[in-house]
Amino acid sequence: MEFVVSAIAATLTTIAFVPQALHIIRHKETRAISLQMYLVFATGVAFWLVFGLMLWNWPMILANIVTLALALTIVAMKLRYG
């Protein structure tokens, strides 16, 4: 049961960032997003990834790898496009 709950939570929280990342990649417009928020968020996701590794929880590990990649992509685009 824990695996199912963590898989659902991981999937939903990961795909929540896909529309934002795609919008930024397509339109190259980042004025409306906060760099500080995404830096803090990416740091938190990195810690969740470490926690997932400590528990050896694959849904948590995979979701946080993808979420961290999306968050860092958004940070990079924010730095590039302002």
Side-chain angles (χ1 to χ4, degrees):
M1 185 60 151
E2 294 164 350
F3 181 84
V4 172
V5 171
S6 65
I8 293 169
T11 300
L12 292 174
T13 57
T14 298
I15 60 177
F17 281 88
V18 171
Q20 181 75 65
L22 289 176
H23 179 82
I24 292 170
I25 291 167
R26 286 185 186 136
H27 300 284
K28 296 176 179 41
E29 201 287 298
T30 61
R31 279 181 285 149
I33 67 166
S34 166
L35 177 61
Q36 293 82 2
M37 178 279 210
Y38 273 94
L39 288 172
V40 171
F41 177 74
T43 302
V45 171
F47 276 96
W48 277 113
L49 175 57
V50 170
F51 185 60
L53 289 166
M54 291 168 66
L55 297 176
W56 211 243
N57 182 311
W58 281 103
M60 188 183 291
I61 294 167
L62 295 175
N64 282 301
I65 287 171
V66 173
T67 304
L68 184 58
L70 289 168
L72 292 176
T73 297
I74 292 170
V75 167
M77 300 291 272
K78 177 67 175 174
L79 292 172
R80 183 170 181 189
Y81 298 116

